[in-house]
């Protein structure tokens, strides 16, 4: 199961943080700092997997943004790696050609999309269309 | 959300800040603003509230503490309109976690939204509970969520959220999902057409079957059906294919669920599954598109896992090995990583060692990869595949790698190299070479265990001794050597240096000189080893060498007044002994052979693996209940009580107290696993030196050899028998035993009191360290003289008591700090031998120091998903021990829970599905073991509260045993009150023999209890 999802830029600024396990605030800051340090200097030719404490972080870099998910040691690495990509595709579709600024100014929408995509640390919906349609339903309610 | 200009403006402002300081100022200003607005409820429109709450989330995300406004966020949940309600739900689930009290306030609203008719509200509520719902939610909401999941009138949108919400509730409390009715429903859910609902339901299924596969066996064929449906790409809408692959995630989930069923009985289901698997194994090609490639390989690797789990026929297995062989040589790092990882898993389940060995050179290449993730996998695989045939090559590689490896890997690397060298050494001289190289290259990362072990080998193998001695001598020629090298070479040369006497540069006096050169560079604990070596060199010098004698004596003289008591004692005694001629020879004779025993290193590595290397397969293998638990030992542990006790008990009519004393664990170590190695390596090594020590001497390194294996504690125990046997001429105030037991559970209080003096104690504990302060207060108007305080430490504690002044002035209090370090698990206790003179009377007392096992426990509460995998990972004895305990003091369950919590073994409420059971967890700290997770389960019988079944599991066999005994003592004895019946009872009975009745008679409490 996914323990947490982080979206951070190269400088380590958090653009999205979602925890599916209860952590204290101080612990969250520590986790965000450590994960950033762990992934930021890795060569592009390296694996997308790094051990993190007793778990592992699956991460992928898109331009200056790092998407990291922390999962159990026994979880299927590639499946989570591609779920990151699916999430990025959904964001890209929703914001039409997403860039970091979209995510900054619309962070609240990113949380909404994430809640349609992942729940309780598990994938909820893998159809891009279903999620985009759901988002426009919600926009109408505003 | 449209038109929230204030939010956008704020985000821009923050972005435009030139530096961190400016950003902080802007954020602080905003927080001040929000705070003011929140205080003034009247002007706070729902819109404003919403805007501020979003801002708070943004500020929180930037890493600033937001310590107010949580209430406002939570209160938005009950807003009537969607836009506000939505913000309330989302921000709450980001700012609060399941343990937050405010969440409880929202339970009712959340429940109303779940059972209400508004679909949008249902979705919001299910999402919140799914993401941060805790136990409270599990208990009150599970049935409602189940209803939504199986409802035919709900849209898939709601049902998929309900499925995952239920999964969360199940993880928080497995009882929330009642197996009986639910298994059939679950099977029906797997017939679902909507792939969103099916994906979520399959995740739920994985959790349910991992907990109880039998109940959900009807789901097994359904999983195979799902796989067939996807694999044949039938009835899969376009939107659920990912780069042309029918939902890879659902395929992975379905195969994962299947790995929790031990086997597939039904031949047709099995056949269908193997067809699918075969198609995946053969039909996955490498393609250009990275995403497609990853997705298809995600499925392929899951299929490999499933094939390994099912232990398929040989042909399919060799296909898998061939595939993995291909993967570990590809350039693509992810695939290579997974190839190495899965090959390591494969080693555990099948007999494929020989095929894997063909890839050895390829794997060694990966050990040199620039990516640490790959290197770690390569190291694990090399370690797993090592055997006699390739040990030399592999260990050489590891040694080479050691020089360049990053610090974070060196300790593991040296431990693994040491173990492989020991397990598979083609000849022992090679083993000695390897260990000495290890110490030379990575001394800081070579634990004491490693050099103790090489000493054992050398001692036990005569052929090896001259070789080891000459090797040790060679290393001493190096300019700078690691302290561990000084220790091991000093030890070996002391014992066997004389075997080299004819070689140049190896006379006793030359050995002395070269060793003595190292003395200025070493730390205090190494000096005693050198002193012993000097004494031995002196003895072995043939013909006697007066020059050498002069030099050695000068050293002994120098250290005669050393502040370190160990060094001082050795110096004084060796000096005296060396004047004794033949007696000297006898005392310093060669060390006897060590009893054969399992390597503590291997044990240690197994522990490391248990925590660090839990592959899915291994985890699954450990879930077989048969090897997860030890059958109970039905006998009371110690048989008949020692005869001396009988007279005391004869007057007792209380059957319970008789039972209590019958099952008292005093001194019983009979049921320990005979394979358990004595953890007392150091005292083994230095053991025979104890002959020199005067009786009752303190050094924890000088107790006699530990004797028979498996009884590590008795020797130490016997040194401190007369705990309460005192020749006091004063009337005690209060009961010493009671005071001690009270102090076992708290950190400050009075340890001892009589009309003249009161000794108080205050303690702080951190990890395996403790700092106690003894407060000795003179209650009289005249001074107390000849005050003496001496600590008699058991072997597992290192204690350092600051000197106590000889005289305590009238009405004065002196403080004496006492440093405690826990070296390894043991229930023994340290004793303070205390005496003073009042007038002509000498008063003395032997007081147990409350540095008991529980002081080195740190409370730890686990959730069910943390607890159960760990619990299963600890497999069988000696790591996991079970025992039926009888004669338990009857306690209601909450009381028992309090008792456990009081000695830092934290009850994790509700984890066990049976309400009569308790599960608990804690962390134990000691120097040798580090921090170890300890788990315990108590199964009580509501019909008979005097018996229970207890299972204790930790990563260390000694700890498991000690902790089990410790808990047992707590359960059997009464913490306060009539404990005198069982004089040595309580958290840490220090005695291995029963105290004499005479000693008891001195204790007024004991007499009283005897009369009752």
């Amino acid at each position: 199961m996914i323990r947490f999802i982080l979206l951070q830029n190269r400088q380590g600024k958090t653009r999205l943080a979602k925890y599916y396990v209860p952590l204290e605030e101080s612990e969250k800051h520590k986790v965000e700092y450590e994960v950033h340090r762990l992934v930021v200097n890795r060569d592009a030719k390296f694996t997308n997997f790094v051990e993190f404490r007793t778990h592992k972080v699956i991460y992928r870099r898109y331009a200056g943004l790092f998407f990291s998910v922390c999962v159990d040691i026994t979880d299927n690495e590639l499946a989570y790696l591609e779920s990151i990509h699916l999430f990025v595709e959904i964001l890209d579709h929703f914001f039409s050609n997403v860039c970091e600024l979209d995510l900054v100014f619309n962070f609240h929408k990113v949380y909404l999309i994430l809640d349609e995509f992942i729940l309780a640390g598990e994938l909820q919906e893998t159809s891009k269309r279903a999620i985009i349609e759901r988002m426009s339903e919600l926009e109408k309610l505003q | 959300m449209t038109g929230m200009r204030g939010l956008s403006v704020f985000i821009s402002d923050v972005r435009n800040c030139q530096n961190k300081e400016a950003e902080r100022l802007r954020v602080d200003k905003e927080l001040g603003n929000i705070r003011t607005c929140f205080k003034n409820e009247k002007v706070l429109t729902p819109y404003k509230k919403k805007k501020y709450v979003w801002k708070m989330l943004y500020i929180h995300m930037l890493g600033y503490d937001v310590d107010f406004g949580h209430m406002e966020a939570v209160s938005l949940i009950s807003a009537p309109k969607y836009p506000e309600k939505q913000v309330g739900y989302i921000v709450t689930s980001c700012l609060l976690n399941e343990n937050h009290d405010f969440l409880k306030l929202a339970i009712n609203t959340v429940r109303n939204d779940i059972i209400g008719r508004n679909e949008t509200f249902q979705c919001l509520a299910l999402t919140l509970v799914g993401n941060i719902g805790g136990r409270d939610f599990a208990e009150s909401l599970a049935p409602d969520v189940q209803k939504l999941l199986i409802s035919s009138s709900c849209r898939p949108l709601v049902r998929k959220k309900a499925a995952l919400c239920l999964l969360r509730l199940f993880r928080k409390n497995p009882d929330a999902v009642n197996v009986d009715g639910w298994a059939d429903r679950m099977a029906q859910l797997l017939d679902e057409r909507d792939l969103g609902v099916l994906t979520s339901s399959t995740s739920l299924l994985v959790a349910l079957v991992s907990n109880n596969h039998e109940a959900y066996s009807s789901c097994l064929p359904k999983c195979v059906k799902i796989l067939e449906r996807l694999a044949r790409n039938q009835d899969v809408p376009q939107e659920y294919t990912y780069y042309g692959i029918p939902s890879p995630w659902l395929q992975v989930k379905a195969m994962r669920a299947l790995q929790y069923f031990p086997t597939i009985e039904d031949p047709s289901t099995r056949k269908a599954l193997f067809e699918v698997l075969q198609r995946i194994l053969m039909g996955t090609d490498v393609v250009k598109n990275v995403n497609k490639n990853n997705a298809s390989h995600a499925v392929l690797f899951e299929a490999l896992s499933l094939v390994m789990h099912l232990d398929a026929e040989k042909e399919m297995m060799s296909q898998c090995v061939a595939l993995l062989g291909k993967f570990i040589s590809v350039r693509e790092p992810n695939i290579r990583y997974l190839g190495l990882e899965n090959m390591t898993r494969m080693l555990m389940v099948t007999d494929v060692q020989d095929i894997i060995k063909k890839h050895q050179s390829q794997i060694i290449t990966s050990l040199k990869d620039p990516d640490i993730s790959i290197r770690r996998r390569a190291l694990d695989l090399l370690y797993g595949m090592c055997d006699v045939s390739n040990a030399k090559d592999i260990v050489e590689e590891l040694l080479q790698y050691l020089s360049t490896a990053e610090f974070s890997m060196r300790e593991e690397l040296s431990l693994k190299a040491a173990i492989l060298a020991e397990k598979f050494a083609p000849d022992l001289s090679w083993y000695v070479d390897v260990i000495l190289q290890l110490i030379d290259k990575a001394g800081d990362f070579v634990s004491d265990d490693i050099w103790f072990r090489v000493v054992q080998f050398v001692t036990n193998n005569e052929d090896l001794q001259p070789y080891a001695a000459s090797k040790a001598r060679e290393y001493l020629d190096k300019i700078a050597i690691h302290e561990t090298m000084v220790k091991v070479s000093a030890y070996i040369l002391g014992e066997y240096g004389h075997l080299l006497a004819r070689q140049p540069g190896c006379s006793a006096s030359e050995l002395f000189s070269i060793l003595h050169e190292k003395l200025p560079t070493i730390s205090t604990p190494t000096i005693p080893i050198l002193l012993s070596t000097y004494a031995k060199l002196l003895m072995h010098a043939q013909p006697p060498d007066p020059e050498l004698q002069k030099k050695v004596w000068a050293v002994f003289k120098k250290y005669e007044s050393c502040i370190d008591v160990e060094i001082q004692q050795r110096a004084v005694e060796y000096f005296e002994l060396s004047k004794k001629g033949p007696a000297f020879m006898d005392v310093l004779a060669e060390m006897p052979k060590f009893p054969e025993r399992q390597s503590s290193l291997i044990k240690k590595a197994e522990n490391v693996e248990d925590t660090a290397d839990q592959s899915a397969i291994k985890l699954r293998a450990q879930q077989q209940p048969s090897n997860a638990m030890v059958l109970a030992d039905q006998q009371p542990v110690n048989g008949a009580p020692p005869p001396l006790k009988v007279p005391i008990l004869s007057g007792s009519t209380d059957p319970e107290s008789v039972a209590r004393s019958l099952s008292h664990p005093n001194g019983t170590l009979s049921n320990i696993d005979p394979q358990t190695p004595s953890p007392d390596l150091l005292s083994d090594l230095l053991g025979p030196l104890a002959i020199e020590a005067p009786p009752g001497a303190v050094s924890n390194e000088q107790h006699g050899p530990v004797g028979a294996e498996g009884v590590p504690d008795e020797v130490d125990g016997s040194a401190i028998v007369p705990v309460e046997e005192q020749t006091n001429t004063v009337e005690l105030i209060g009961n010493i035993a009671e005071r001690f037991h009270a102090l076992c559970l708290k950190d400050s209080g009075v340890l001892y009191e009589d009309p003249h003096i009161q000794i108080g104690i205050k303690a702080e504990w951190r990890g395996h360290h403790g700092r106690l302060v003894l407060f000795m207060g003179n209650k009289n108007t005249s001074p107390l003289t000849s005050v003496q305080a001496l600590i008699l430490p058991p072997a597992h504690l290192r204690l350092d008591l600051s000197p106590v002044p000889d005289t305590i002035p009238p009405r004065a209090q002196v403080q004496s700090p006492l440093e405690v370090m826990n070296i390894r698990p043991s229930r023994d206790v340290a004793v303070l031998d205390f005496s003073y003179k009042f007038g002509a009377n000498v008063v003395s007392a032997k007081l147990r120091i409350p540095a008991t096992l529980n002081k080195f426990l740190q409370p730890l509460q686990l959730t069910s998903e943390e607890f159960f995998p760990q619990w299963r990972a600890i497999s069988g004895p000696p790591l996991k021990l079970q025992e039926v305990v009888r004669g338990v003091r009857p306690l209601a369950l909450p009381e028992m829970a309090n008792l456990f919590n009081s000695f830092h073994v934290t009850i994790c409420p509700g984890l066990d599905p049976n309400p009569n059971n308790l599960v608990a967890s804690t962390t134990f700290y000691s120097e040798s073991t580090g921090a170890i997770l300890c788990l315990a389960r108590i199964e009580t019988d509501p019909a008979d509260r005097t018996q229970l079944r207890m299972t204790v599991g930790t990563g260390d066999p000694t700890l498991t045993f000690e902790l089990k005994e410790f808990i047992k003592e707590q359960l059997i004895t009464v913490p306060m009150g009539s404990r005198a019946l069982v004089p040595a009872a309580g958290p840490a009975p220090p005695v291995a023999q029963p105290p004499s009745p005479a000693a008891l008679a001195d204790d007024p409490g004991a007499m009283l209890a005897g009369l009752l």
Side-chain angles (χ1 to χ4, degrees), chain A residues 1 3 13-25 28-29 32 42 44-51 54 56 60 62 73-83 85-86 89 100-101 103-109 111-112 115-116 118-130 134 137-139 141-142, chain B residues 1 4 7-8 11-12 15 23 50 54 57-58 60-61 63 65 82-83 86 90 93-95 97-99 120 123 127 130-131 155 157 160-161 164 167-168 171 196 199-200 203 239-240 242-243 247 249 252-253 256 290-291 294-295 297-298 301-302 333-334 337-338 341 345 370-374 376-377 614-616 619:
Chain A
M1 107 178 232
R3 310 253 139 186
K13 278 219 183 323
T14 302
R15 295 306 182 203
L16 174 101
K18 187 83 181 167
Y19 293 86
Y20 298 97
V21 288
L23 290 185
E24 292 301 319
E25 288 307 309
K28 288 182 184 171
H29 293 323
E32 286 163 32
R42 281 176 61 85
K45 289 201 265 328
F46 285 4
T47 56
N48 295 88
F49 323 131
V50 262
E51 283 175 25
T54 52
K56 61 192 171 194
R60 202 163 192 170
Y62 293 87
I73 285 288
T74 52
D75 279 330
N76 187 311
E77 291 91 344
L78 290 175
Y80 280 107
L81 183 59
E82 284 318 295
S83 66
H85 187 72
L86 178 58
E89 284 191 357
E100 188 179 343
L101 273 190
L103 306 184
V104 173
F105 281 96
N106 298 292
F107 73 95
H108 43 302
K109 293 187 188 167
Y111 276 105
L112 279 184
D115 276 348
E116 295 297 325
I118 283 166
L119 181 59
E122 303 288 346
L123 283 185
Q124 178 192 170
E125 180 55 79
T126 59
S127 156
K128 216 188 307 179
R129 203 183 82 189
R134 172 69 181 158
E137 260 178 46
L138 292 179
E139 299 248 299
L141 291 171
Q142 284 293 338
Chain B
M1 257 177 291
M4 265 204 298
L7 180 60
S8 299
I11 294 176
S12 299
R15 283 181 54 79
E23 184 187 288
K50 178 177 110 177
W54 275 129
L57 178 57
Y58 190 76
H60 174 256
M61 213 164 64
D65 282 335
Y82 172 73
Q86 180 217 42
I90 294 191
S93 70
C94 288
L95 289 183
N97 71 34
E98 68 183 56
N99 304 318
T120 319
C123 288
T127 304
N131 285 336
R155 276 210 291 165
L157 181 70
K160 66 192 180 192
K161 288 178 171 36
L164 292 176
L167 167 59
R168 168 93 185 192
R171 281 178 179 151
T199 305
S200 300
S203 291
E239 58 188 286
Y240 283 99
Y242 181 78
Y243 290 87
S247 183
W249 298 282
V252 166
K253 284 274 175 216
R256 185 52 67 103
V290 178
N291 302 110
N294 284 343
H297 282 78
F301 277 108
E302 201 61 46
N334 288 337
Y337 173 98
L338 293 170
E341 184 177 67
R345 287 181 188 171
D371 182 357
I372 187 175
S373 298
I374 291 196
R376 280 187 192 280
R377 292 288 78 82
Q614 295 179 337
S615 74
L619 278 175

Side-chain angles (χ1 to χ4, degrees), chain B residues 663-719:
Chain B
S663 55
H664 181 255
N666 193 354
T668 54
L669 291 143
S670 51
N671 63 346
I672 196 166
D673 185 335
Q675 294 289 308
T676 308
S678 157
D680 222 356
L681 271 172
L682 189 61
S683 60
D684 277 7
L685 280 180
L686 302 169
L689 293 175
I691 308 161
E692 310 139 12
V698 285
S699 163
N700 56 0
E701 291 173 352
Q702 293 199 341
H703 285 301
V706 162
E709 284 193 51
V711 281
D713 297 309
E714 288 189 332
V715 175
D716 308 316
S718 61

Side-chain angles (χ1 to χ4, degrees), chain B residues 214-235:
Chain B
E214 280 152 8
Y216 294 94
S217 55
S218 58
C219 296
L220 191 156
K222 304 274 174 131
C223 289
V224 177
K225 280 256 154 52
I226 295 173
L227 282 174
E228 284 186 287
R229 173 179 165 193
L230 292 171
R232 297 214 181 104
N233 204 352
Q234 290 168 338
D235 185 22

Side-chain angles (χ1 to χ4, degrees), chain B residues 263-335:
Chain B
T263 153
I264 298 177
E265 307 272 335
D266 177 50
S268 66
T269 310
R270 195 176 164 92
K271 185 162 167 275
L273 177 61
F274 276 97
E275 272 172 28
V276 173
L277 290 173
Q278 186 69 44
R279 191 189 298 225
I280 297 172
L281 290 187
M282 299 311 291
T284 308
D285 297 321
V286 177
V287 293
K288 268 235 166 91
N289 183 300
V290 178
N291 302 110
K292 181 169 186 170
N293 217 27
N294 284 343
S296 63
H297 282 78
V299 175
L300 175 57
F301 277 108
E302 201 61 46
L304 280 172
S305 278
L306 182 53
V307 172
M308 284 188 246
H309 168 75
L310 293 172
D311 212 0
E313 44 267 30
K314 212 147 185 118
E315 197 186 327
M316 208 166 198
M317 280 303 217
S318 46
Q319 265 178 30
C320 291
V321 183
L323 271 174
L324 290 175
K326 202 173 88 193
F327 292 153
I328 61 167
S329 42
V330 298
R331 297 246 313 270
E332 213 285 299
N334 288 337
I335 303 291

Side-chain angles (χ1 to χ4, degrees), chain B residues 10 13-14 17 22-31:
Chain B
F10 172 62
D13 280 2
V14 169
C17 289
E23 184 187 288
R24 173 171 287 282
L25 282 174
R26 180 65 187 90
V27 166
D28 282 346
K29 185 180 150 209
E30 194 63 39
L31 284 176

